[in-house]
Amino acid sequence: MKLALNILGGLMIVMGVIWILQGTNIVAGVPIISRSFMMGKTTWIGNGAWLAAFGAGLLVWNNRTPKAKL
């Protein structure tokens, strides 16, 4: 389960960064991505930021060390 959540969190970060790059038109030269409906739409900058932040939070939460029981 821990491995699956780590993979999911990493994929969420990557997807969020791609959405941010599409929203800012930075990936305009990439053939597959450049014809996306997301290109130049500022909505996708915010959506990508939220997704990447959630993925980072998932990674932090999943990899925290448990407190020792007394």
Side-chain angles (χ1 to χ4, degrees):
M1 184 67 164
K2 189 170 187 169
L3 177 64
L5 288 176
N6 281 337
I7 292 171
L8 180 63
L11 288 174
M12 291 170 81
I13 292 171
V14 169
M15 186 65 69
V17 169
I18 290 173
W19 286 0
I20 292 169
L21 294 175
Q22 285 180 325
T24 56
N25 271 332
I26 292 177
V27 292
V30 179
I32 294 173
I33 300 174
S34 65
R35 289 190 264 203
S36 173
F37 64 94
M38 298 184 216
M39 292 299 292
K41 305 279 192 314
T42 56
T43 303
W44 292 103
I45 299 170
N47 291 346
W50 278 108
L51 185 64
F54 188 80
L58 180 63
L59 284 176
V60 169
W61 175 79
N62 192 40
N63 293 305
R64 71 189 189 288
T65 56
K67 292 182 180 179
K69 294 183 180 180
L70 298 174

